[in-house]
Amino acid sequence: MLEKYRYNVARCARCGICRAKYSEKVHYVCPVREHTGGFEHYFSRGRVAVAAGILEGAIDYSPELVDVLYTCLGCKSCVEQCGSVDMRNGKSLVDTAKIVREMREDAIALGLEPKIMQELHATVSKTKNTFGGNLEEKNKLAKKFELPEKGDTIFFSGCYGVYRDRKEAEATIKILKATGAAPAYLADKEWCCGVMEYWGGNTKVARDMALHNLEALTTAGVKTLVTACSGCLDTIKDIYPEIIEDKLPFKVIHISEYLADLVEKGELKFTKEINKTVTYHDPCHLGRHARIFDAPRKVIESIPGITLKEMERNREASGCCGSGIGAVRALEPDLALAITNDRIKEAVATGAEVLTSACPMCVEQLTLAGRASKAKLEYINLPALVAEAMGL
Amino acid sequence: MNVVRVKEHHPLYSELSVIVGSKYTTDSDFAVWAYSRDSSPVPGKVPGIIVRPGSTEEVSEIIKLANITHTPVIPRGGGASIFGFPAGIPGRSIVIDTTRLDKLIEINEENMTVTAEAGIGVCELGTKLTEKGYYANLVWAPYYADTLGGLIGGVMGGGWSTRTQVVGPNANHILGMKVVTPTGGIIQTGGGPGTNVHRKTTFMRDGGGPDTTGLFIGDGGTFGIKTEITLSIYPLETVAKPRGFLFKSFDDIWSAISKLMAIEPFPYTNLVGLAPNATALFMSDPCWVLLCYTRGYEEEEVTTKIKVVDEVCKAAGGELGSEAIHMQASAAGTGEMYREMGKLASIGMWVFLETHVPKEDLPRLFNKYAELIDQRFEEKGIKEYGGIRMDVMLPVGHGECYLSTNVYWQVNVPEARKKVMEIADEFVNVTINDGLFATTAQRIPAGVTGANWSPSYYEFMRTLKRAMDPNNIINPGHWGL
Ligand SMILES: Cc1cc2nc3c(=O)[nH]c(=O)nc-3n(C[C@H](O)[C@H](O)[C@H](O)COP(=O)(O)OP(=O)(O)OC[C@H]3O[C@@H](n4cnc5c(N)ncnc54)[C@H](O)[C@@H]3O)c2cc1C
């Protein structure tokens, strides 16, 4: 409920640093403002002003406003640029991604959820995954790699790893096995992490997913959860504690952190050189949300033969891939594509041959747009790149 | 929770959509609401419709339509004004959001000028000039939010840059502008194509007749909408040194400031005096602090100037600060201290009580206003809302000082905002009654300023406004006009 953020909404100083910035790295802050009519309600300051208007009872939710709310990517570029800190808890004072999420939740409570989102959430509720796939697929994956259901280290595939980018999931499992992690896998007991439901404002479905997964994970004896999906990582690590109002009794890490640790210890063994220039796209949920910027770079740079070339906007200043946790892509495909194309252009401008990322959703979005625009790039998810260099 | 309401379109929605395109026209209730406030606690006024024109010609068409239909127009840049947005007529006004007029037209390295559209962000302009080794006088803050047109129109003197203290306000560095007049005409001021049909570009301010450029500087947008602006540019300095000095009392720090500002040429580029209530933000043992930042083109020149600063400060009882204090001087001098405004927002909501004071009156008035604000803080219980204040003084030129008490508070309840605003309103009135001047051309100070014009000056301004804006279309009521 937006009411939870009344203090934060009121504390936005409306200074406008989220409107425009032009510096070495950041030429614009909000990609949505850049590719729409650019009115205040398309970027942070205006969105927060609208929230204030709702809280003051001056304006109402309407289908038109709901459409605008679902243009927010939740990428937190504005939050990063704002930089204001809530002195009470050290968190972002004006977290627009969260404020918009709460507005979406309230709009849903009023029966104003866009039809496409309703259908998506109904699919997740029914099939326990984003794509309406059969959970049996997860059992097949477990069987193929002989993964036990219980163990200290649990691999969390997420929906993308099973129903979209099987290469990513398989590469992650191979890496974990080859490096002695002995991963277990919940298989059909692993439900969607709830990332799209949470950020889409459907808290009820997100909560159902979270509570189920937490129980399944606890039963499986998890000590460390490893995932290759930045959405799953951030949701389980940061959102689940918020949902259960408690700390998690286990550690959640991204495969890039796991690998970076091995690189640090000199324990990651490669068998093949990859003589290519690579550029890395920071997924919003791994970067600005979960604050993991160094680990994937450390891993890429450790691969023999690879030269890493940074895009102009990188790390904290990275551009979003345009997917917006799938919601913007589903509801505003043209807007999403325009944003992705910006990122593709930046990748091409580095002169790199390969575009990699550490999130299957980003890789999919970038691949689709990049291929459509005939950009001369190869697209590969980080685990697949590492697995190739390890000869797996 | 709120229920859904359906609203009718603004009467000019269709016509405006034809001019700027429907993508750049909106009158949704939430859209106009988001344009109702600036970055001050001054209560907002909700306009009727917003447009984002992409050319001077489109601005002109909008103004012509507004004249035919007698609809008020409010120009808007970054929306970073600090003392209230022009009120217009709530529910009817057309807000012209100028931020699509954001092109850098030309950097002329021979004539040392830059011409840009008025809606360009000053950060973009500043960065592009820096990349080429130049600077223009723009703004300390809000570096990332101000537009060029909003800065020049919204601040008396056209704005304060990080070099204003020695080179004067931006007005001194503006060469000319393209302006859409309140009846929709397009004029070009300054020594350029507007005042000589045989010229293509502007290279000087004062050619071609009376200095009409000045009419559009610090006017709050009342006399026209700036769409292009030409400024002087300068080579970036290559050497800069910071200096911070600690003082025991107001008298000591003022003695140093007073002596330093009398020196020609100035031994500093910036000089900021902070009271202990301001230094408490970064010092465990707060005291009076003087932050000095000296820029130049030769090492020797800067070192010599810094020596002068050292001598004067020491003679006034100052103690050389630590490296951390010098870094504060650097942050103040480059503008970094204020640029990342999230840091300010973290301190609290703000209102800046600012005024321009002649040097001779500064000690008396500094203490008078400090006492007044202390008293009001006490009476209104501002500390209970987490209220703090920071007193700052900056000399400008040889005879003027900018004085500011930055008030921050934490608890955003309407009564806190109301009480703080009562103090701010009183401050503007008291300072103008003391014969001083406000810093911005924004709603509250413009109202008080206009109310204190002499009858003949008011009459002159009214005649001017009526002649230029017979239907009182642009920012009606601003300055009381
Ligand atoms: C924290 C903070 C610190 C500040 N520090 C400084 C400082 O150091 N130096 C300084 O100079 N200023 C400072 N300011 C003031 C700021 O520069 C002004 O408020 C400035 O006017 C804002 O520019 P804007 O583009 O946001 O204009 P807006 O707020 O959008 O508009 C300001 C006024 O200009 C008019 N206007 C806007 N665009 C145009 C146009 N194209 N043509 C005609 N009229 C127009 C508007 O109608 C309005 O009356 C500070 C403000 C804040 C919030």
Side-chain angles (χ1 to χ4, degrees):
Chain A
M1 269 173 69
L2 181 59
E3 186 57 42
K4 279 198 299 200
Y5 283 83
R6 186 178 277 277
Y7 174 84
N8 306 73
V9 166
R11 285 293 306 268
C12 170
R14 298 176 302 281
C15 71
I17 197 165
C18 55
R19 181 182 68 82
K21 177 144 178 167
Y22 198 96
S23 63
E24 209 181 307
K25 278 189 185 166
V26 184
H27 289 192
Y28 58 79
V29 174
C30 179
V32 175
R33 176 175 191 265
E34 210 60 22
H35 290 289
T36 55
F39 296 106
E40 292 272 326
H41 56 260
Y42 282 120
F43 68 97
S44 179
R45 177 175 66 182
R47 293 188 195 274
V48 177
V50 170
I54 287 170
L55 288 169
E56 286 173 32
I59 42 178
D60 307 315
Y61 287 104
S62 63
E64 196 192 349
L65 172 56
V66 170
D67 283 350
V68 166
L69 292 178
Y70 279 93
T71 59
C72 177
L73 297 156
C75 73
K76 293 206 181 189
S77 171
C78 52
V79 180
E80 193 73 40
Q81 296 307 322
C82 169
S84 60
V85 178
D86 188 336
M87 298 301 189
R88 300 170 308 171
N89 53 26
K91 291 187 178 169
S92 297
L93 182 61
V94 186
D95 186 337
T96 307
K98 281 274 175 79
I99 290 168
V100 169
R101 194 209 84 82
E102 300 297 324
M103 287 199 274
R104 289 172 179 173
E105 184 185 275
D106 289 353
I108 290 174
L110 284 171
L112 292 171
E113 186 174 22
K115 197 155 175 290
I116 295 177
M117 294 307 288
Q118 274 178 36
E119 286 165 5
L120 278 167
H121 293 151
T123 301
V124 173
S125 255
K126 196 169 152 211
T127 67
K128 319 303 178 200
N129 72 81
T130 312
F131 304 106
N134 193 328
L135 286 180
E136 192 49 37
E137 292 297 319
K138 295 192 173 179
N139 290 337
K140 285 186 198 159
L141 185 68
K143 207 165 163 202
K144 180 172 175 186
F145 289 96
E146 296 174 349
L147 300 173
E149 251 188 46
K150 294 188 175 185
D152 288 352
T153 303
I154 294 201
F155 165 62
F156 197 94
S157 67
C159 306
Y160 266 86
V162 172
Y163 304 103
R164 278 290 201 275
D165 187 1
R166 188 64 77 91
K167 250 169 107 181
E168 175 235 312
E170 295 195 354
T172 310
I173 296 168
K174 285 179 194 165
I175 294 167
L176 290 171
K177 287 189 132 193
T179 52
Y185 181 45
L186 296 179
D188 64 355
K189 291 191 188 63
E190 180 199 287
W191 287 4
C192 169
C193 71
V195 61
M196 199 198 244
E197 292 65 53
Y198 177 80
W199 290 103
N202 199 322
T203 315
K204 186 192 170 305
V205 182
R207 192 181 161 78
D208 290 348
M209 298 295 127
L211 296 183
H212 165 86
N213 283 331
L214 285 173
E215 195 181 330
L217 286 162
T218 316
T219 310
V222 64
K223 289 207 173 83
T224 304
L225 181 150
V226 189
T227 181
C229 173
S230 68
C232 295
L233 174 100
D234 184 50
T235 307
I236 299 172
K237 194 175 165 187
D238 296 328
I239 306 302
Y240 282 13
E242 191 184 300
I243 289 175
I244 61 170
E245 294 177 20
D246 202 354
K247 279 187 194 146
L248 294 182
F250 55 90
K251 221 169 115 182
V252 183
I253 57 168
H254 189 261
I255 185 70
S256 60
E257 294 178 284
Y258 172 82
L259 288 166
D261 189 43
L262 294 179
V263 172
E264 189 103 313
K265 293 183 195 146
E267 290 173 9
L268 194 61
K269 303 278 176 274
F270 297 106
T271 57
K272 191 180 154 193
E273 277 197 10
I274 298 186
N275 290 307
K276 285 183 178 162
T277 48
V278 172
T279 189
Y280 171 73
H281 164 82
D282 288 271
C284 302
H285 283 258
L286 189 69
R288 281 186 290 263
H289 283 242
R291 316 303 301 173
I292 298 169
F293 301 105
D294 291 333
R297 289 178 167 80
K298 189 177 267 180
V299 176
I300 295 166
E301 283 177 325
S302 71
I303 299 175
I306 281 191
T307 311
L308 176 65
K309 285 199 166 182
E310 291 287 1
M311 285 188 252
E312 190 173 2
R313 295 176 297 160
N314 56 59
R315 294 174 177 267
E316 291 88 344
S318 175
C320 173
C321 75
S323 168
I325 288 300
V328 177
R329 188 168 90 176
L331 290 161
E332 300 281 347
D334 293 344
L335 171 63
L337 188 64
I339 294 165
T340 319
N341 283 338
D342 276 1
R343 201 65 183 141
I344 292 289
K345 277 186 210 143
E346 254 178 274
V348 170
T350 62
E353 297 156 285
V354 177
L355 169 56
T356 188
S357 188
C359 170
M361 215 183 295
C362 297
V363 173
E364 183 182 69
Q365 180 72 9
L366 293 162
T367 307
L368 289 174
R371 291 205 176 126
S373 66
K374 301 206 168 35
K376 278 203 183 117
L377 285 167
E378 229 182 282
Y379 310 88
I380 184 163
N381 212 318
L382 184 62
L385 186 68
V386 174
E388 190 187 335
M390 290 174 77
L392 299 173
Chain B
M1 217 177 293
N2 310 305
V3 287
V4 182
R5 185 178 60 196
V6 179
K7 181 187 163 246
E8 286 197 357
H9 274 309
H10 185 275
L12 299 182
Y13 180 83
S14 306
E15 287 93 332
L16 289 167
S17 299
V18 170
I19 298 171
V20 297
S22 55
K23 182 176 175 186
Y24 298 112
T25 311
T26 182
D27 62 355
S28 307
D29 55 352
F30 55 86
V32 292
W33 171 266
Y35 279 82
S36 62
R37 298 271 304 270
D38 59 2
S39 58
S40 75
V42 178
K45 304 273 182 204
V46 184
I49 189 163
I50 323 294
V51 282
R52 296 188 71 228
S55 68
T56 301
E57 288 68 29
E58 285 182 6
V59 175
S60 161
E61 289 305 310
I62 297 163
I63 299 292
K64 284 178 188 160
L65 177 68
N67 269 282
I68 295 166
T69 56
H70 290 256
T71 314
V73 168
I74 306 172
R76 181 175 168 111
S81 49
I82 38 174
F83 247 109
F85 222 68
I89 298 182
R92 274 195 68 207
S93 309
I94 304 168
V95 165
I96 297 187
D97 174 338
T98 59
T99 55
R100 251 182 93 214
L101 298 167
D102 61 353
K103 284 162 218 60
L104 198 169
I105 297 166
E106 191 199 18
I107 298 175
N108 187 321
E109 295 178 73
E110 280 296 314
N111 297 340
M112 296 295 277
T113 63
V114 62
T115 302
E117 289 187 324
I120 195 170
V122 294
C123 50
E124 177 167 355
L125 184 56
T127 307
K128 287 184 170 165
L129 286 170
T130 305
E131 278 164 9
K132 285 195 166 267
Y134 302 111
Y135 74 85
N137 285 288
L138 298 169
V139 73
W140 229 311
Y143 190 64
Y144 298 112
D146 272 14
T147 60
L148 186 57
L151 170 67
I152 290 174
V155 183
M156 309 262 198
W160 275 41
S161 76
T162 49
R163 298 167 180 87
T164 284
Q165 292 180 268
V166 296
V167 301
N170 293 351
N172 294 1
H173 311 274
I174 300 167
L175 299 175
M177 305 173 189
K178 188 178 271 184
V179 178
V180 176
T181 66
T183 46
I186 300 173
I187 59 160
Q188 176 84 49
T189 72
T195 49
N196 183 340
V197 292
H198 306 291
R199 257 218 82 74
K200 293 264 181 292
T201 54
T202 304
F203 69 98
M204 62 186 294
R205 161 95 165 255
D206 37 4
D211 177 17
T212 48
T213 303
L215 184 60
F216 304 102
I217 297 175
D219 68 334
T222 302
F223 292 110
I225 301 185
K226 292 164 260 295
T227 58
E228 280 178 29
I229 293 157
T230 301
L231 306 169
S232 291
I233 59 172
Y234 307 92
L236 267 178
E237 302 89 341
T238 45
V239 186
K241 284 195 200 312
R243 221 45 167 186
F245 272 90
L246 318 183
F247 291 88
K248 290 206 173 65
S249 66
F250 170 83
D251 288 344
D252 289 352
I253 194 171
W254 175 245
S255 152
I257 293 175
S258 158
K259 287 193 181 91
L260 285 168
M261 68 190 281
I263 298 170
E264 182 64 45
F266 295 105
Y268 53 85
T269 315
N270 302 99
L271 200 61
V272 180
L274 298 173
N277 58 19
T279 56
L281 204 63
F282 56 86
M283 290 174 87
S284 51
D285 195 7
C287 63
W288 295 86
V289 172
L290 187 60
L291 303 176
C292 165
Y293 192 69
T294 304
R295 299 179 193 250
Y297 298 93
E298 300 287 344
E299 186 74 35
E300 201 191 324
E301 171 204 352
V302 174
T303 310
T304 311
K305 284 183 172 176
I306 286 288
K307 258 192 203 151
V308 174
V309 173
D310 285 356
E311 277 162 22
V312 171
C313 287
K314 280 181 190 152
E319 179 196 327
L320 190 63
S322 63
E323 204 46 48
I325 299 291
H326 298 329
M327 274 168 68
Q328 291 291 335
S330 189
T334 55
E336 292 301 325
M337 188 186 266
Y338 315 99
R339 279 183 184 176
E340 303 296 340
M341 297 219 298
K343 285 183 198 148
L344 296 188
S346 310
I347 306 172
M349 287 142 292
W350 65 61
V351 67
F352 295 166
L353 313 180
E354 309 172 319
T355 186
H356 293 285
V357 185
K359 184 182 175 191
E360 61 184 3
D361 290 337
L362 191 112
R364 178 176 60 85
L365 292 176
F366 184 93
N367 291 314
K368 174 179 167 178
Y369 300 144
E371 268 170 37
L372 175 77
I373 295 162
D374 269 349
Q375 205 178 325
R376 294 296 178 265
F377 255 54
E378 195 64 39
E379 285 163 12
K380 293 179 191 285
I382 303 297
K383 286 203 178 117
E384 284 154 36
Y385 304 116
I388 53 168
R389 46 184 278 236
M390 300 182 195
D391 300 338
V392 183
M393 52 189 159
L394 280 85
V396 189
H398 295 299
E400 173 196 338
C401 254
Y402 156 93
L403 202 60
S404 176
T405 291
N406 306 348
V407 174
Y408 294 87
W409 74 103
Q410 308 289 323
V411 185
N412 202 343
V413 289
E415 65 263 29
R417 194 170 17 158
K418 192 168 153 268
K419 286 179 182 175
V420 172
M421 271 319 297
E422 282 166 7
I423 301 178
D425 281 347
E426 184 182 357
F427 183 84
V428 175
N429 277 286
V430 168
T431 51
I432 290 182
N433 283 330
D434 278 340
L436 308 178
F437 296 94
T439 57
T440 70
Q442 295 159 11
R443 190 181 345 144
I444 306 286
V448 182
T449 300
N452 286 278
W453 283 338
S454 72
S456 56
Y457 194 74
Y458 178 78
E459 200 42 47
F460 169 71
M461 293 300 278
R462 199 165 63 152
T463 307
L464 207 56
K465 175 73 172 162
R466 280 185 182 162
M468 290 178 69
D469 191 356
N471 295 313
N472 209 2
I473 291 300
I474 301 189
N475 287 347
H478 214 65
W479 307 105
L481 297 172

